[in-house]
Amino acid sequence: MLKNYSLTKDTLLVSSESNIKNSSVVYVYGDEREYIESFDHKYDLKIGNILTFDDQVAYDTMIDRNDEKSLLVSFLFSKIHEGGLLDNLTTSVVFLVFKNKLIIFTNHKLNSISELLSNMVLRDVNNFTEEVLLKIMQKDFHVMLNNLRGVKEKIDDLDSEISTPGPLRPTFGDLLTLRKYIIALSATYGANHKALDFIKKNFTTNNDIDFTTKKIIDEIYDTSDTMDKIILGYSQYLDALGNMINNMISYQLNMIMKTLTEISIVLTIPAIIFGFWGINVHVPFEKSSYGVFAVLIISVILSLICWFWMRRKKYL
């Protein structure tokens, strides 16, 4: 689907204009293969591949027919949701930056982009493409940071499950899900650093740096660094948590085996006694009507003696 936005004075407004040539910003999402292939063919790009694989950023400089420099740049937007497959935790956001037009591509509609583009007030209409791109990245990076902070709640829930007495079997699924998030997010943040370096290089110069543009880029860098630190801390904590779960399971298994061994030892005594009184020779109480009860009492007494002895030796 294509959504067009026109620049009216200093504000971006949703346009009903069907001709994208008259639009200032175009947001393309969903199945628009023909439109994407036209750009791939015209500028020798691979936008379709970037959107399909969602595992790396892309950036390049293009020269159009008017000898003007245009840019291709993408970044990875991470999504955290229940039951998501590893391949579905990230999506590519691709920008084609021309002098007077910005085209945005995503596989699926991102509400953060649509909401931001509607009624966006611009500071510098002469360089609106750069400003819109940076504001989208700024917004999406804040969304990713908030999503990442939401992982803490999932880790706290896992902590609670471990602290609650009982079997730890269900925690393996939760731990696996969290590790999956960490793998996807850490790869996403690392790749986005390269895209940020490319943007900073092309949007600013050493001699003439726009202060507001530089401030937005620096804020995006700060957000990215914050996410890197949080993801590193979560990763280390989950590693420690995984080791703790393994140790707790080993301890529970040892306690179960210890209990079974103790029961086996205590029950061995009655088995020996019953076996002794079952042999085909004369034994005590064989002619007594209370012989069975006598044998049972002897077995219980000896079993209790054995149990108390192991308690005293701290085997129990």
Side-chain angles (χ1 to χ4, degrees), residues 140-199:
D140 285 345
F141 271 57
H142 278 298
V143 172
M144 287 192 288
L145 179 58
N146 290 333
N147 288 339
L148 178 58
R149 286 170 174 159
V151 174
K152 183 178 182 298
E153 298 179 3
K154 300 180 184 296
I155 294 177
D156 290 340
D157 292 339
L158 185 60
D159 262 335
S160 300
E161 291 182 22
I162 295 174
S163 303
T164 303
L168 294 174
R169 182 171 52 190
T171 59
F172 282 113
D174 298 332
L175 183 61
L176 178 62
T177 300
L178 288 171
R179 287 188 180 277
K180 181 170 60 175
Y181 288 153
I182 297 302
I183 291 172
L185 297 179
S186 58
T188 297
Y189 302 153
N192 284 343
H193 272 292
K194 297 181 179 180
L196 283 174
D197 292 339
F198 177 79
I199 290 172

Side-chain angles (χ1 to χ4, degrees), residues 203-265:
F203 283 13
T204 62
T205 61
N206 293 328
N207 298 325
D208 183 20
I209 298 177
D210 181 84
F211 177 77
T212 304
T213 300
K214 184 178 182 301
K215 185 178 179 181
I216 294 177
I217 293 176
D218 289 341
E219 183 179 342
I220 297 174
Y221 268 109
D222 291 341
T223 304
S224 182
D225 290 338
T226 300
M227 290 190 291
D228 286 339
K229 293 176 182 177
I230 293 176
I231 205 74
L232 178 61
Y234 287 175
S235 180
Q236 292 175 344
Y237 184 77
L238 287 177
D239 288 340
L241 205 59
N243 293 332
M244 183 186 301
I245 291 174
N246 289 333
N247 292 336
M248 292 179 68
I249 290 176
S250 297
Y251 173 76
Q252 287 185 350
L253 181 60
N254 289 337
M255 293 302 296
I256 292 173
M257 295 304 298
K258 180 174 178 287
T259 302
L260 292 176
T261 302
E262 292 163 354
I263 294 173
S264 299
I265 293 173

Side-chain angles (χ1 to χ4, degrees), residues 30-48:
D31 190 12
E32 292 289 344
R33 295 183 182 178
E34 293 184 5
Y35 188 72
I36 294 173
E37 288 174 358
S38 66
F39 276 94
D40 285 349
H41 178 72
K42 184 176 181 179
Y43 295 99
D44 192 22
L45 303 174
K46 295 182 179 179
I47 298 175

Side-chain angles (χ1 to χ4, degrees), residues 44-62:
D44 192 22
L45 303 174
K46 295 182 179 179
I47 298 175
N49 288 343
I50 299 171
L51 294 173
T52 300
F53 293 109
D54 288 341
D55 58 357
Q56 63 182 1
V57 299
Y59 41 86
D60 196 7
T61 302
M62 306 172 295

